[in-house]
Amino acid sequence: MNPNADKLWQAPRWALAVLLAVLGMLGPFSIDTYIPAFSGIASTIGATPAEMQQTLSAYLFGFAFMNMFHGALSDSFGRRPVVLWGLAIFTLASLGCALSQTIGQLVLFRALQGLSTGAGIVVSRAVIRDMFPPAEAQKVMAQVTIYFGVAPAIAPIIGGVLFVHLGWHSVFWFLVAVGVALFAANWKLLPETLHEEHRQSFHVRHLLRGYWDLCSDPRFLLLALASGVPFNGMFLYVLSAPAFLGDHLGLAPTQFFWFFILTIGGIMSGARSSGQMAGKVAPKHQIRHGFLIMVVSALVNVVANALFAPNAYWALWPLAVFAFGWALMVPGVTLLVLDLHPERRGMASSLQAVIGSTANGVVAGVVAPLVMHSTLALALTSALMLGVGLVAWIWLHRRWPEIGRLVAA
């Protein structure tokens, strides 16, 4: 924690949470905004559904790759420069997407978007721990998740309206405007939270030692799997939204917002509950409650899809409950990750994001196209993603039972 933290931000804590949440939401916002325009983009540039899916996977793999370095760069050069450079590159990449005329150009610039957007979510986590002790950090992390949840809820609404009235290019012109606004806001407001004495040497040997320390620590890997992979239990449905919502549930693009409102409502409610538990309930108990809720909702989802024909009136609710469970447990897991190696919080945040976003990329490019044809296949795959994280948490709990036992001060 920065010893001068109380002097770096004089405004209310919620205002910093809003600024960091907006940074963190840029990644999912740039996905969800253009999903309603999938069919229009495909018909205009002559792309197949599989090629359109690659615009998602290119973005996600670019996101995963660059996340290897965002945190390490912020540990060495500071949090602020990494955020500002990331926003500048995102804005230029969005401009490239808006001007794209072929599927190849769109895939290229989507990959460039992915390379840049990770800076916000990775560095924002490190900023929170730079500024606050554990209990306060969990409360801020929960606030960030609440505000973060607003973006995916409104993104498909905005994308659907822009697509219907102005065409798909307007979606990316809108993202250009978002990038410019965020760059200006962070240039003016974001403080440098990494203390000079905490900066790490930017030498290859030193960096490799840091990567090795984290990647060879089974506690870190298990925690990263526990937080990152279950997210794909609901993200699978986001990636499959055109098929799931349009083909299976019969919703129009302008009606996709019902799915996002319910899911993001679950995330916001879970995050709020997580913040209320901070400093009162031991992290491991909070995480256990989150997993239990996700297991029950995933089983209900599988059974319902096995017995009944898909219908929008019931098919969206298990996903909202799943989202609640994930948001309840993930702030606690994230703080446990960041505190395993306090001198490498930026790098730890990076590698945690790499594991999660690599899983996202595999789901987008390989898994989703294979299972989106069936609601039962989607439900079973979602439960499988949860199972990976659950096994990781149980393994960690049995091998290192002391982790997360104490209530954060």
Side-chain angles (χ1 to χ4, degrees):
M1 180 175 169
N2 192 314
N4 301 319
D6 58 334
K7 301 176 183 177
L8 297 177
W9 186 265
Q10 301 297 322
R13 185 181 66 190
W14 64 263
L16 178 60
V18 170
L19 181 65
L20 297 177
V22 173
L23 274 178
M25 69 83 180
L26 188 60
F29 194 86
S30 62
I31 293 175
D32 297 340
T33 307
Y34 94 122
I35 282 180
F38 251 45
S39 59
I41 298 174
S43 62
T44 300
I45 63 179
T48 66
E51 288 174 330
M52 286 303 303
Q53 201 70 25
Q54 296 313 308
T55 65
L56 275 174
S57 56
Y59 174 93
L60 292 169
F61 280 119
F63 183 89
F65 172 77
M66 195 58 199
N67 275 343
M68 289 283 292
F69 308 104
H70 287 310
L73 290 168
S74 75
D75 283 339
S76 298
F77 300 109
R79 315 301 189 201
R80 182 179 161 89
V82 175
V83 168
L84 293 176
W85 274 105
L87 290 172
I89 295 171
F90 170 80
T91 304
L92 293 175
S94 299
L95 178 62
C97 290
L99 298 174
S100 293
Q101 300 297 319
T102 67
I103 186 63
Q105 292 172 355
L106 186 58
V107 169
L108 172 64
F109 287 112
R110 286 289 291 168
L112 188 57
Q113 276 188 326
L115 289 170
S116 62
T117 52
I121 192 168
V122 167
V123 177
S124 63
R125 293 172 182 169
V127 167
I128 291 171
R129 199 58 185 89
D130 288 343
M131 295 286 288
F132 302 101
E136 288 296 304
Q138 183 175 334
K139 292 178 182 179
V140 176
M141 193 82 71
Q143 286 182 321
V144 166
T145 305
I146 291 172
Y147 300 132
F148 168 91
V150 174
I154 65 173
I157 302 174
I158 294 173
V161 170
L162 289 173
F163 167 58
V164 170
H165 296 287
L166 299 174
W168 69 265
H169 292 281
S170 66
V171 174
F172 292 107
W173 282 114
F174 173 73
L175 292 179
V176 172
V178 169
V180 171
L182 288 182
F183 183 90
N186 282 274
W187 178 273
K188 183 177 181 179
L189 300 174
L190 183 67
E192 179 51 67
T193 62
L194 182 66
H195 195 271
E196 288 288 343
E197 295 180 358
H198 298 161
R199 299 200 177 194
Q200 301 292 315
S201 173
F202 196 70
H203 294 301
V204 173
R205 182 176 297 177
H206 187 72
L207 289 175
L208 291 177
R209 186 182 302 116
Y211 283 120
W212 173 254
D213 288 344
L214 289 171
C215 292
S216 62
D217 186 344
R219 300 171 303 166
F220 170 81
L221 296 176
L222 290 171
L223 283 169
L225 288 172
S227 64
V229 179
F231 173 76
N232 286 279
M234 55 182 174
F235 191 52
L236 172 67
Y237 284 90
V238 175
L239 296 169
S240 306
F244 174 63
L245 300 175
D247 299 339
H248 298 305
L249 302 186
L251 299 178
T254 52
Q255 295 175 310
F256 283 13
F257 72 92
W258 287 112
F259 164 67
F260 291 96
I261 284 178
L262 289 173
T263 304
I264 300 309
I267 291 177
M268 295 173 70
S269 300
R272 185 173 184 273
S273 298
S274 176
Q276 291 173 335
M277 291 181 179
K280 302 174 184 177
V281 179
K284 70 186 313 177
H285 296 313
Q286 184 173 328
I287 294 166
R288 181 184 64 192
H289 297 334
F291 271 114
L292 180 60
I293 291 169
M294 286 190 288
V295 167
V296 172
S297 63
L299 291 176
V300 169
N301 193 34
V302 170
V303 172
N305 279 282
L307 297 179
F308 305 106
N311 188 296
Y313 288 106
W314 62 260
L316 303 180
W317 290 102
L319 307 180
V321 177
F322 187 103
F324 176 91
W326 177 81
L328 180 65
M329 70 92 177
V330 80
V333 177
T334 299
L335 289 173
L336 292 177
V337 168
L338 296 178
D339 286 344
L340 281 176
H341 298 269
E343 74 285 357
R344 289 287 189 182
R345 286 198 175 105
M347 184 178 286
S349 182
S350 272
L351 290 176
Q352 181 189 24
V354 166
I355 291 173
S357 55
T358 299
N360 295 348
V362 172
V363 171
V366 179
V367 178
L370 293 176
V371 300
M372 64 174 59
H373 67 281
S374 164
T375 57
L376 179 58
L378 284 168
L380 288 169
T381 306
S382 174
L384 178 62
M385 297 293 172
L386 168 61
V388 173
L390 180 61
V391 169
W393 174 250
I394 293 174
W395 188 353
L396 178 86
H397 174 68
R398 291 185 176 180
R399 178 66 179 81
W400 293 277
E402 72 281 1
I403 292 181
R405 174 179 292 172
L406 300 178
V407 177

